[in-house]
Amino acid sequence: MQVLHLIGGKGRWNATALAEELECSTRTIHRLMQTLSMAGVPWYFDEKLKV
């Protein structure tokens, strides 16, 4: 939930910045994002699709 809160807020986040903020590895961030995707949680924004 903390990851979604961060990426849903203002600013742009990458795996390195998220890992530093959450005090974990970038690999952990990649696993979290993959898990969110597999669960069908929309964690990304596409400017063209407005999704």
Side-chain angles (χ1 to χ4, degrees):
M1 294 302 290
Q2 206 170 10
V3 172
L4 288 175
H5 179 72
L6 288 172
I7 63 176
K10 292 184 178 183
R12 297 180 64 129
W13 291 91
N14 60 26
T16 303
L18 285 169
E20 288 176 8
E21 181 70 22
L22 298 174
E23 299 178 351
C24 64
S25 70
T26 56
R27 181 67 194 127
T28 298
I29 297 298
H30 288 287
R31 280 194 305 268
L32 288 170
M33 300 317 242
Q34 183 180 22
T35 301
L36 289 172
S37 292
M38 290 172 52
V41 176
W43 56 265
Y44 56 89
F45 181 79
D46 186 330
E47 185 66 37
K48 292 179 185 174
L49 299 175
K50 302 289 186 200
V51 176

